[in-house]
Each structure stands twice: as C-alpha cells, then as structure tokens.
Amino acid sequence: GDSVTQMEGPVTLSEEAFLTINCTYTATGYPSLFWYVQYPGEGLQLLLKATKADDKGSNKGFEATYRKETTSFHLEKGSVQVSDSAVYFCALRLTTGTASKLTFGTGTRLQVTL
Amino acid sequence: NAGVMQNPRHLVRRRGQEARLRCSPMKGHSHVYWYRQLPEEGLKFMVYLQKENIIDESGMPKERFSAEFPKEGPSILRIQQVVRGDSAAYFCASSRGGQFGYTFGSGTRLTVV
C-alpha cells in the first residue's frame, strides 16, 4: 500500500540554523505530495505542495522538491525561527479515481531555541 | 467565510458512553473526510463522505464507529461504547470535490476516562 516515511524527531535547532526534514514515499500511482504543519493544540495547515515530478513547492521560506527518482520530498528552510517550532507532516495523495485520501507520515517535531 | 468548524473542541467521556463529533464543512464544500490522530502519531484516514453518501470507509473500525453526512446539517462521527483506546484527536477536512485541496478543522480531542 501507499506509505510515507519521515525522519523521527524531535529535531532541535538554534534560531537561524538550516533545517532539513527528510521524507520518502511509496505509492502505486503518481501522487501529489504535501507538507503540513501543526502548531500546539491546533489543526493541520497546508505548508506547501507539489503535484508532479521536479515541481518545487515553497511557502514562508520553506521549500521542497518532488524527486521521483528518489521518491523523496525533503523539507528545507535556510534559517529557522522560534516561531517555526511545530510538528511537520509529510503526506501524499493519489489523484486518480476516487482515491482522494491523504496518507501521512508520523510527523517530525521541530523545536527552535534562541 | 468561516473555515471548517468542529465541535466540541474537547470532549470527555466515561468508558461505555457514546461520543458524537460534529463537523461543518466550509461553505461550498460537499466532501468531508475524517482522520484520527493518536498521541505522538500521524493522522490516519477513517472515512470519506459526500452529502448522504459514504464514498470510502476503509479506515473505519468495523465496530462501534459510524459516520454520516446528511443533506442538511453537519457531518457526524459517532463512537458507541467508547474505550480508553479511542482517546485521540479527531480531525475533519472538507473540499469542493475529490480532486481539490482540503481544508482541515481544528479537531476534537476526545478523552475517555
């Protein structure tokens, strides 16, 4: 079945450090890929997405590139802030037929300190 | 333009009671999805509904859980005879259609004592 694997956390970084959160996937079709962010006590917010190979999604300084050859969608940010502290979820969604559900990774908690 | 509204935000039930979770989709959205997030885990798909129809319930436990999305009113996720293992955050999302992006609600956090 379809699945998403992302690096385990927590990830602890100092402010202005470089962030990478790894995400790889397996899928039977050609999925769209997403990163969602969850702040404490809140629901999920879409951070960025990519719908086909080599697409780069970007938002708020975060970016991720859809790499079909390595089945990866790693999240990066050049300089993190304390306000980026949250849990980040990688997810895939197949776009064919009625299979419109999202399949999530287990989440990576990011803690940014001063 | 309100987002996806879920209520209650927090729900406490004793073992054996029933839990009813409500989800009002965004205006113009006729597709609803329910996900469950167990502590320290990712979200797991439960069910996908359109108005008056269940499209995909492959993630629903076979017993005690049911979902509906009537012609009028919110979608309801119902858990009968709750057990401690049902304690989780339940998220609803809505979309305009199966191929469109979702918007998530803030979730209902169910605690079974």
Short mmCIF file of all heavy atoms in Angstrom, two decimals, chain A residues 35-88:
data_model
loop_
_atom_site.label_atom_id
_atom_site.label_comp_id
_atom_site.label_asym_id
_atom_site.label_seq_id
_atom_site.Cartn_x
_atom_site.Cartn_y
_atom_site.Cartn_z
N TRP A 35 3.40 19.05 2.46
CA TRP A 35 3.87 19.23 3.81
C TRP A 35 2.82 20.04 4.56
O TRP A 35 2.37 21.09 4.08
CB TRP A 35 5.21 19.98 3.87
CG TRP A 35 6.38 19.08 3.64
CD1 TRP A 35 7.08 18.90 2.50
CD2 TRP A 35 6.99 18.22 4.62
NE1 TRP A 35 8.08 17.98 2.68
CE2 TRP A 35 8.05 17.55 3.98
CE3 TRP A 35 6.76 17.95 5.98
CZ2 TRP A 35 8.89 16.64 4.63
CZ3 TRP A 35 7.58 17.05 6.63
CH2 TRP A 35 8.62 16.40 5.96
N TYR A 36 2.43 19.50 5.72
CA TYR A 36 1.50 20.19 6.61
C TYR A 36 2.25 20.53 7.90
O TYR A 36 3.15 19.82 8.31
CB TYR A 36 0.31 19.29 6.96
CG TYR A 36 -0.74 19.21 5.88
CD1 TYR A 36 -0.61 18.30 4.84
CD2 TYR A 36 -1.86 20.04 5.91
CE1 TYR A 36 -1.57 18.21 3.84
CE2 TYR A 36 -2.83 19.95 4.91
CZ TYR A 36 -2.68 19.05 3.89
OH TYR A 36 -3.64 18.96 2.91
N VAL A 37 1.79 21.60 8.56
CA VAL A 37 2.37 22.00 9.85
C VAL A 37 1.25 22.05 10.89
O VAL A 37 0.12 22.46 10.59
CB VAL A 37 3.10 23.35 9.74
CG1 VAL A 37 2.18 24.45 9.25
CG2 VAL A 37 3.74 23.73 11.07
N GLN A 38 1.56 21.57 12.07
CA GLN A 38 0.60 21.56 13.18
C GLN A 38 1.22 22.26 14.38
O GLN A 38 2.19 21.77 14.96
CB GLN A 38 0.21 20.13 13.54
CG GLN A 38 -0.87 20.04 14.61
CD GLN A 38 -1.25 18.60 14.94
OE1 GLN A 38 -0.40 17.70 14.90
NE2 GLN A 38 -2.50 18.38 15.26
N TYR A 39 0.65 23.39 14.74
CA TYR A 39 1.09 24.10 15.94
C TYR A 39 0.36 23.52 17.15
O TYR A 39 -0.72 22.94 17.00
CB TYR A 39 0.84 25.60 15.79
CG TYR A 39 1.62 26.20 14.66
CD1 TYR A 39 1.02 26.46 13.44
CD2 TYR A 39 2.98 26.48 14.80
CE1 TYR A 39 1.74 26.98 12.38
CE2 TYR A 39 3.71 27.00 13.75
CZ TYR A 39 3.09 27.25 12.55
OH TYR A 39 3.81 27.75 11.51
N PRO A 40 0.90 23.67 18.34
CA PRO A 40 0.30 23.04 19.53
C PRO A 40 -1.18 23.35 19.68
O PRO A 40 -1.60 24.50 19.62
CB PRO A 40 1.13 23.64 20.66
CG PRO A 40 2.45 23.95 20.05
CD PRO A 40 2.14 24.40 18.64
N GLY A 41 -1.97 22.31 19.84
CA GLY A 41 -3.40 22.46 20.08
C GLY A 41 -4.21 22.87 18.87
O GLY A 41 -5.40 23.15 18.99
N GLU A 42 -3.58 22.88 17.71
CA GLU A 42 -4.27 23.32 16.50
C GLU A 42 -4.42 22.19 15.50
O GLU A 42 -3.86 21.10 15.67
CB GLU A 42 -3.49 24.47 15.85
CG GLU A 42 -3.34 25.69 16.72
CD GLU A 42 -4.66 26.38 16.99
OE1 GLU A 42 -5.54 26.35 16.11
OE2 GLU A 42 -4.82 26.91 18.11
N GLY A 43 -5.19 22.48 14.44
CA GLY A 43 -5.31 21.54 13.35
C GLY A 43 -4.15 21.67 12.38
O GLY A 43 -3.19 22.40 12.64
N LEU A 44 -4.24 20.97 11.28
CA LEU A 44 -3.17 20.99 10.29
C LEU A 44 -3.37 22.13 9.30
O LEU A 44 -4.48 22.39 8.84
CB LEU A 44 -3.13 19.68 9.51
CG LEU A 44 -2.32 18.57 10.17
CD1 LEU A 44 -3.03 18.04 11.39
CD2 LEU A 44 -2.04 17.45 9.18
N GLN A 45 -2.27 22.77 8.98
CA GLN A 45 -2.30 23.80 7.95
C GLN A 45 -1.40 23.37 6.81
O GLN A 45 -0.29 22.89 7.03
CB GLN A 45 -1.77 25.12 8.52
CG GLN A 45 -2.55 25.66 9.69
CD GLN A 45 -1.89 26.89 10.29
OE1 GLN A 45 -1.17 27.62 9.61
NE2 GLN A 45 -2.13 27.13 11.57
N LEU A 46 -1.88 23.55 5.60
CA LEU A 46 -1.06 23.22 4.45
C LEU A 46 0.11 24.20 4.38
O LEU A 46 -0.07 25.42 4.38
CB LEU A 46 -1.89 23.31 3.17
CG LEU A 46 -1.15 23.05 1.87
CD1 LEU A 46 -0.61 21.61 1.83
CD2 LEU A 46 -2.06 23.31 0.67
N LEU A 47 1.32 23.66 4.29
CA LEU A 47 2.51 24.49 4.20
C LEU A 47 2.93 24.66 2.74
O LEU A 47 3.16 25.77 2.28
CB LEU A 47 3.65 23.86 5.00
CG LEU A 47 4.97 24.61 5.05
CD1 LEU A 47 4.79 25.99 5.65
CD2 LEU A 47 6.00 23.82 5.84
N LEU A 48 3.03 23.56 2.01
CA LEU A 48 3.36 23.62 0.60
C LEU A 48 3.01 22.30 -0.06
O LEU A 48 2.77 21.30 0.62
CB LEU A 48 4.83 23.96 0.39
CG LEU A 48 5.89 23.10 1.09
CD1 LEU A 48 6.20 21.85 0.30
CD2 LEU A 48 7.17 23.91 1.33
N LYS A 49 2.99 22.31 -1.38
CA LYS A 49 2.66 21.09 -2.11
C LYS A 49 3.36 21.07 -3.45
O LYS A 49 3.82 22.12 -3.95
CB LYS A 49 1.15 20.97 -2.30
CG LYS A 49 0.57 22.01 -3.24
CD LYS A 49 -0.92 21.80 -3.43
CE LYS A 49 -1.49 22.80 -4.42
NZ LYS A 49 -2.96 22.61 -4.60
N ALA A 50 3.41 19.87 -4.05
CA ALA A 50 3.93 19.70 -5.41
C ALA A 50 3.13 18.58 -6.05
O ALA A 50 2.85 17.56 -5.41
CB ALA A 50 5.41 19.36 -5.38
N THR A 51 2.74 18.77 -7.29
CA THR A 51 1.82 17.83 -7.91
C THR A 51 2.48 16.92 -8.94
O THR A 51 1.87 15.93 -9.37
CB THR A 51 0.64 18.56 -8.56
OG1 THR A 51 1.16 19.49 -9.51
CG2 THR A 51 -0.18 19.29 -7.52
N LYS A 52 3.72 17.24 -9.37
CA LYS A 52 4.37 16.36 -10.33
C LYS A 52 5.88 16.42 -10.15
O LYS A 52 6.42 17.33 -9.50
CB LYS A 52 3.97 16.72 -11.75
CG LYS A 52 4.35 18.11 -12.20
CD LYS A 52 3.82 18.36 -13.60
CE LYS A 52 4.31 19.68 -14.16
NZ LYS A 52 3.85 20.84 -13.39
N ALA A 53 6.54 15.46 -10.75
CA ALA A 53 7.99 15.33 -10.60
C ALA A 53 8.71 16.63 -10.99
O ALA A 53 8.33 17.31 -11.95
CB ALA A 53 8.49 14.18 -11.46
N ASP A 54 9.70 16.96 -10.17
CA ASP A 54 10.57 18.13 -10.34
C ASP A 54 9.90 19.45 -9.95
O ASP A 54 10.55 20.50 -9.99
CB ASP A 54 11.12 18.24 -11.76
CG ASP A 54 11.97 17.03 -12.13
OD1 ASP A 54 12.65 16.50 -11.24
OD2 ASP A 54 11.91 16.61 -13.29
N ASP A 55 8.62 19.41 -9.58
CA ASP A 55 7.97 20.61 -9.05
C ASP A 55 8.62 20.99 -7.73
O ASP A 55 8.96 20.11 -6.93
CB ASP A 55 6.48 20.36 -8.79
CG ASP A 55 5.62 20.69 -9.99
OD1 ASP A 55 6.17 21.08 -11.03
OD2 ASP A 55 4.39 20.55 -9.86
N LYS A 56 8.74 22.27 -7.47
CA LYS A 56 9.20 22.75 -6.17
C LYS A 56 8.07 23.52 -5.53
O LYS A 56 7.56 24.48 -6.10
CB LYS A 56 10.43 23.65 -6.31
CG LYS A 56 10.92 24.22 -4.98
CD LYS A 56 12.06 25.20 -5.16
CE LYS A 56 13.36 24.48 -5.37
NZ LYS A 56 14.52 25.43 -5.34
N GLY A 57 7.68 23.08 -4.33
CA GLY A 57 6.71 23.83 -3.55
C GLY A 57 7.46 24.75 -2.60
O GLY A 57 8.52 24.38 -2.08
N SER A 58 6.92 25.94 -2.35
CA SER A 58 7.58 26.86 -1.43
C SER A 58 6.56 27.75 -0.75
O SER A 58 5.52 28.09 -1.33
CB SER A 58 8.62 27.70 -2.16
OG SER A 58 8.01 28.49 -3.15
N ASN A 59 6.88 28.12 0.48
CA ASN A 59 5.98 28.98 1.26
C ASN A 59 6.70 29.38 2.54
O ASN A 59 7.30 28.54 3.22
CB ASN A 59 4.68 28.24 1.60
CG ASN A 59 3.66 29.12 2.28
OD1 ASN A 59 3.65 30.34 2.09
ND2 ASN A 59 2.80 28.52 3.06
N LYS A 60 6.65 30.65 2.89
CA LYS A 60 7.19 31.15 4.16
C LYS A 60 8.65 30.77 4.36
O LYS A 60 9.09 30.54 5.49
CB LYS A 60 6.37 30.63 5.34
CG LYS A 60 4.90 31.04 5.31
CD LYS A 60 4.16 30.49 6.52
CE LYS A 60 2.70 30.88 6.45
NZ LYS A 60 1.93 30.32 7.60
N GLY A 61 9.41 30.68 3.31
CA GLY A 61 10.82 30.34 3.42
C GLY A 61 11.10 28.85 3.38
O GLY A 61 12.25 28.43 3.27
N PHE A 62 10.06 28.03 3.48
CA PHE A 62 10.21 26.58 3.36
C PHE A 62 10.11 26.18 1.89
O PHE A 62 9.39 26.82 1.12
CB PHE A 62 9.09 25.85 4.12
CG PHE A 62 9.18 25.99 5.61
CD1 PHE A 62 8.55 27.04 6.27
CD2 PHE A 62 9.87 25.05 6.36
CE1 PHE A 62 8.62 27.17 7.65
CE2 PHE A 62 9.94 25.16 7.74
CZ PHE A 62 9.32 26.23 8.38
N GLU A 63 10.82 25.13 1.53
CA GLU A 63 10.68 24.60 0.19
C GLU A 63 10.94 23.11 0.18
O GLU A 63 11.60 22.57 1.07
CB GLU A 63 11.59 25.31 -0.80
CG GLU A 63 13.05 25.27 -0.48
CD GLU A 63 13.87 26.06 -1.50
OE1 GLU A 63 13.39 27.10 -1.99
OE2 GLU A 63 14.98 25.61 -1.80
N ALA A 64 10.36 22.44 -0.84
CA ALA A 64 10.57 21.01 -1.02
C ALA A 64 10.41 20.71 -2.50
O ALA A 64 9.56 21.29 -3.17
CB ALA A 64 9.56 20.20 -0.20
N THR A 65 11.25 19.80 -3.00
CA THR A 65 11.24 19.44 -4.41
C THR A 65 10.81 18.00 -4.57
O THR A 65 11.34 17.11 -3.88
CB THR A 65 12.62 19.65 -5.05
OG1 THR A 65 12.99 21.02 -4.89
CG2 THR A 65 12.60 19.29 -6.52
N TYR A 66 9.87 17.74 -5.46
CA TYR A 66 9.34 16.42 -5.75
C TYR A 66 10.37 15.67 -6.58
O TYR A 66 10.59 15.98 -7.76
CB TYR A 66 8.04 16.60 -6.53
CG TYR A 66 7.18 15.40 -6.78
CD1 TYR A 66 5.80 15.54 -6.73
CD2 TYR A 66 7.69 14.15 -7.10
CE1 TYR A 66 4.95 14.48 -7.00
CE2 TYR A 66 6.86 13.08 -7.36
CZ TYR A 66 5.49 13.26 -7.32
OH TYR A 66 4.65 12.19 -7.60
N ARG A 67 11.02 14.68 -5.99
CA ARG A 67 12.06 13.90 -6.66
C ARG A 67 11.53 12.50 -6.93
O ARG A 67 11.51 11.66 -6.04
CB ARG A 67 13.31 13.81 -5.79
CG ARG A 67 13.93 15.14 -5.44
CD ARG A 67 14.64 15.77 -6.59
NE ARG A 67 15.39 16.96 -6.19
CZ ARG A 67 15.77 17.90 -7.04
NH1 ARG A 67 15.46 17.83 -8.33
NH2 ARG A 67 16.47 18.93 -6.59
N LYS A 68 11.12 12.26 -8.16
CA LYS A 68 10.54 10.96 -8.48
C LYS A 68 11.59 9.86 -8.46
O LYS A 68 11.34 8.72 -8.04
CB LYS A 68 9.86 11.02 -9.86
CG LYS A 68 9.05 9.79 -10.21
CD LYS A 68 8.38 9.96 -11.55
CE LYS A 68 7.64 8.70 -11.94
NZ LYS A 68 7.06 8.79 -13.30
N GLU A 69 12.82 10.20 -8.87
CA GLU A 69 13.86 9.17 -8.98
C GLU A 69 14.27 8.62 -7.62
O GLU A 69 14.67 7.47 -7.50
CB GLU A 69 15.07 9.72 -9.74
CG GLU A 69 15.79 10.85 -9.07
CD GLU A 69 15.18 12.21 -9.34
OE1 GLU A 69 14.05 12.28 -9.86
OE2 GLU A 69 15.82 13.22 -9.00
N THR A 70 14.16 9.45 -6.60
CA THR A 70 14.50 9.01 -5.24
C THR A 70 13.25 8.88 -4.36
O THR A 70 13.38 8.61 -3.17
CB THR A 70 15.48 9.98 -4.57
OG1 THR A 70 14.92 11.30 -4.62
CG2 THR A 70 16.83 9.97 -5.26
N THR A 71 12.08 9.07 -4.95
CA THR A 71 10.79 9.06 -4.23
C THR A 71 10.89 9.84 -2.93
O THR A 71 10.58 9.34 -1.84
CB THR A 71 10.27 7.63 -3.97
OG1 THR A 71 11.19 6.91 -3.16
CG2 THR A 71 10.05 6.91 -5.28
N SER A 72 11.33 11.09 -3.05
CA SER A 72 11.55 11.90 -1.86
C SER A 72 10.91 13.28 -2.01
O SER A 72 10.64 13.75 -3.13
CB SER A 72 13.04 12.04 -1.58
OG SER A 72 13.67 12.75 -2.62
N PHE A 73 10.70 13.93 -0.87
CA PHE A 73 10.11 15.27 -0.84
C PHE A 73 10.60 15.94 0.45
O PHE A 73 9.84 16.25 1.35
CB PHE A 73 8.58 15.16 -0.87
CG PHE A 73 7.85 16.44 -1.15
CD1 PHE A 73 8.14 17.22 -2.26
CD2 PHE A 73 6.82 16.87 -0.32
CE1 PHE A 73 7.45 18.39 -2.54
CE2 PHE A 73 6.13 18.04 -0.58
CZ PHE A 73 6.44 18.79 -1.68
N HIS A 74 11.90 16.16 0.52
CA HIS A 74 12.51 16.67 1.75
C HIS A 74 12.17 18.15 1.96
O HIS A 74 12.25 18.95 1.02
CB HIS A 74 14.03 16.51 1.69
CG HIS A 74 14.48 15.10 1.43
ND1 HIS A 74 13.86 14.00 1.98
CD2 HIS A 74 15.50 14.63 0.66
CE1 HIS A 74 14.48 12.91 1.58
NE2 HIS A 74 15.47 13.25 0.79
N LEU A 75 11.88 18.49 3.20
CA LEU A 75 11.54 19.87 3.54
C LEU A 75 12.80 20.60 4.00
O LEU A 75 13.57 20.07 4.81
CB LEU A 75 10.51 19.89 4.68
CG LEU A 75 10.01 21.26 5.11
CD1 LEU A 75 9.18 21.92 4.02
CD2 LEU A 75 9.20 21.15 6.41
N GLU A 76 13.00 21.83 3.50
CA GLU A 76 14.17 22.61 3.87
C GLU A 76 13.78 24.05 4.17
O GLU A 76 12.82 24.57 3.60
CB GLU A 76 15.21 22.60 2.73
CG GLU A 76 15.77 21.22 2.42
CD GLU A 76 16.81 21.25 1.31
OE1 GLU A 76 16.77 22.18 0.48
OE2 GLU A 76 17.66 20.34 1.28
N LYS A 77 14.58 24.65 5.04
CA LYS A 77 14.47 26.09 5.28
C LYS A 77 15.85 26.60 5.65
O LYS A 77 16.54 25.99 6.47
CB LYS A 77 13.48 26.40 6.40
CG LYS A 77 13.24 27.92 6.53
CD LYS A 77 12.17 28.26 7.55
CE LYS A 77 11.90 29.76 7.52
NZ LYS A 77 10.90 30.19 8.54
N GLY A 78 16.24 27.70 5.05
CA GLY A 78 17.60 28.18 5.22
C GLY A 78 17.89 28.75 6.60
O GLY A 78 19.03 28.66 7.08
N SER A 79 16.89 29.31 7.25
CA SER A 79 17.13 29.98 8.54
C SER A 79 15.84 29.89 9.36
O SER A 79 14.88 30.62 9.10
CB SER A 79 17.53 31.44 8.30
OG SER A 79 17.67 32.13 9.52
N VAL A 80 15.83 29.01 10.34
CA VAL A 80 14.60 28.80 11.11
C VAL A 80 14.45 29.86 12.20
O VAL A 80 15.43 30.44 12.67
CB VAL A 80 14.56 27.39 11.74
CG1 VAL A 80 14.46 26.34 10.65
CG2 VAL A 80 15.75 27.13 12.65
N GLN A 81 13.21 30.05 12.60
CA GLN A 81 12.87 30.98 13.67
C GLN A 81 12.17 30.22 14.79
O GLN A 81 11.63 29.13 14.57
CB GLN A 81 11.95 32.08 13.14
CG GLN A 81 12.49 32.81 11.93
CD GLN A 81 13.80 33.51 12.22
OE1 GLN A 81 13.92 34.21 13.24
NE2 GLN A 81 14.78 33.33 11.36
N VAL A 82 12.16 30.84 15.97
CA VAL A 82 11.48 30.20 17.10
C VAL A 82 10.02 29.91 16.76
O VAL A 82 9.47 28.88 17.15
CB VAL A 82 11.57 31.09 18.36
CG1 VAL A 82 10.70 30.54 19.48
CG2 VAL A 82 13.03 31.20 18.82
N SER A 83 9.41 30.79 15.99
CA SER A 83 8.00 30.63 15.61
C SER A 83 7.76 29.44 14.68
O SER A 83 6.59 29.08 14.43
CB SER A 83 7.48 31.90 14.96
OG SER A 83 8.27 32.22 13.82
N ASP A 84 8.82 28.84 14.17
CA ASP A 84 8.67 27.64 13.32
C ASP A 84 8.51 26.37 14.15
O ASP A 84 8.29 25.29 13.59
CB ASP A 84 9.88 27.49 12.40
CG ASP A 84 9.99 28.59 11.36
OD1 ASP A 84 8.94 29.08 10.92
OD2 ASP A 84 11.13 28.97 11.02
N SER A 85 8.65 26.47 15.44
CA SER A 85 8.51 25.30 16.32
C SER A 85 7.10 24.72 16.17
O SER A 85 6.10 25.41 16.42
CB SER A 85 8.77 25.68 17.77
OG SER A 85 10.08 26.15 17.94
N ALA A 86 7.03 23.47 15.76
CA ALA A 86 5.74 22.84 15.45
C ALA A 86 6.04 21.39 15.07
O ALA A 86 7.19 20.96 15.07
CB ALA A 86 5.05 23.55 14.30
N VAL A 87 4.97 20.67 14.72
CA VAL A 87 5.14 19.32 14.17
C VAL A 87 4.86 19.40 12.67
O VAL A 87 3.86 19.99 12.25
CB VAL A 87 4.19 18.31 14.84
CG1 VAL A 87 4.40 16.92 14.25
CG2 VAL A 87 4.42 18.28 16.34
N TYR A 88 5.74 18.79 11.89
CA TYR A 88 5.64 18.83 10.44
C TYR A 88 5.31 17.44 9.91
O TYR A 88 5.96 16.46 10.26
CB TYR A 88 6.95 19.36 9.84
CG TYR A 88 7.18 20.80 10.17
CD1 TYR A 88 7.70 21.18 11.40
CD2 TYR A 88 6.83 21.81 9.27
CE1 TYR A 88 7.87 22.51 11.74
CE2 TYR A 88 7.01 23.14 9.59
CZ TYR A 88 7.53 23.48 10.82
OH TYR A 88 7.69 24.80 11.15
#
